[in-house]
Amino acid sequence: DAKTTQPNSMESNEEEPVHLPCNHSTISGTDYIHWYRQLPSQGPEYVIHGLTSNVNNRMASLAIAEDRKSSTLILHRATLRDAAVYYCILRVSSNDYKLSFGAGTTVTVRA
Amino acid sequence: DSGVTQTPKHLITATGQRVTLRCSPRSGDLSVYWYQQSLDQGLQFLIQYYNGEERAKGNILERFSAQQFPDLHSELNLSSLELGDSALYFCASSVDRTGELFFGEGSRLTVL
């Protein structure tokens, strides 16, 4: 499966933007980029996904590099509730939906 | 609330025993996925079912088995339990094979 690389941890102040990078240099043309997050003591939660174009939803924005070898999840105004582990995942179309989660990025938000 | 229900929330058992974890997917979702999360392995994909049929298999041990019933609920059976099987087991569902996953709150299994 195509792999992703994320920083182990990031810190942010409340109400400031958070930019979470993800490298996926071996991505294939049909692989979707998915982001999930896992709050303490909860199951993972879908955040956003995209293929080539930048995407926005109520939770976050996803900026995808032109060569698709990297992407950035943007939380526009971090709140304490955004403290979680954020996973960047590639959905390989040839493998149905066998999502493989890496270690993710642990985001800490300071009040 | 994701709409995915898992029972039991907590389970403590002994080595060598067998347990069954149950998952009710969101209404209308045809796909069910099972994941295992342990401290040293992270989230590991175990198996996926779509409308009653097994569609994808991950790192699932032979001691583990799963099935999806006609009403679309799923069960994960873990047998000959070992200490290393202690983990959080998550079920997720999606509308089809490619939609976003909705995860339940997990079943925490402790093997003593």
Side-chain angles (χ1 to χ4, degrees):
Chain A
D1 293 342
K3 297 190 72 172
T4 63
T5 304
Q6 300 176 250
N8 290 332
S9 62
M10 292 191 73
E11 290 189 357
S12 174
N13 294 317
E14 201 173 9
E15 298 192 4
E16 289 185 356
V18 182
H19 291 242
L20 301 175
C22 180
N23 288 319
H24 29 78
S25 58
T26 60
I27 191 171
S28 298
T30 55
D31 295 345
Y32 279 79
I33 302 158
H34 283 247
W35 284 82
Y36 283 76
R37 71 180 185 180
Q38 187 172 20
L39 279 65
S41 303
Q42 294 189 25
E45 172 187 34
Y46 168 82
V47 176
I48 201 166
H49 78 279
L51 183 61
T52 55
S53 304
N54 295 343
V55 184
N56 300 295
N57 66 20
R58 63 174 180 82
M59 290 181 67
S61 295
L62 177 61
I64 302 173
E66 203 169 321
D67 63 5
R68 298 206 332 124
K69 294 185 185 302
S70 67
S71 60
T72 302
L73 179 71
I74 303 164
L75 309 177
H76 295 285
R77 290 183 66 208
T79 68
L80 296 179
R81 197 193 173 277
D82 292 321
V85 179
Y86 287 77
Y87 299 99
C88 170
I89 303 154
L90 299 184
R91 175 166 69 78
V92 181
S93 57
S94 62
N95 280 331
D96 278 344
Y97 214 56
K98 193 169 72 174
L99 283 185
S100 295
F101 288 75
T105 298
T106 299
V107 171
T108 303
V109 180
R110 294 184 292 256
Chain B
D1 182 6
S2 67
V4 177
T5 303
Q6 290 188 245
T7 56
K9 286 187 169 34
H10 301 276
L11 189 56
I12 301 174
T13 188
T15 55
Q17 295 298 304
R18 171 190 171 96
V19 299
T20 297
L21 309 180
R22 182 188 170 101
C23 170
S24 294
R26 291 188 324 154
S27 177
D29 284 0
L30 299 179
S31 274
V32 169
Y33 311 75
W34 286 97
Y35 283 82
Q36 179 193 54
Q37 186 173 37
S38 57
L39 283 176
D40 58 344
Q41 293 286 336
L43 265 166
Q44 299 285 317
F45 168 76
L46 294 179
I47 198 164
Q48 177 205 4
Y49 280 83
Y50 177 76
N51 203 20
E53 293 187 8
E54 180 187 308
R55 298 304 290 263
K57 220 167 186 177
N59 302 319
I60 187 166
L61 300 172
E62 287 191 8
R63 299 183 286 108
F64 296 180
S65 65
Q67 54 184 328
Q68 186 180 26
F69 295 86
D71 66 353
L72 301 178
H73 91 272
S74 178
E75 292 181 356
L76 179 67
N77 300 296
L78 315 175
S79 61
S80 302
L81 286 169
E82 303 175 358
L83 296 178
D85 298 328
S86 296
L88 263 171
Y89 291 85
F90 287 105
C91 169
S93 73
S94 66
V95 170
D96 53 26
R97 295 185 303 159
T98 59
E100 65 186 75
L101 300 190
F102 293 87
F103 283 81
E105 294 188 355
S107 292
R108 181 175 293 280
L109 173 66
T110 302
V111 182
L112 301 176

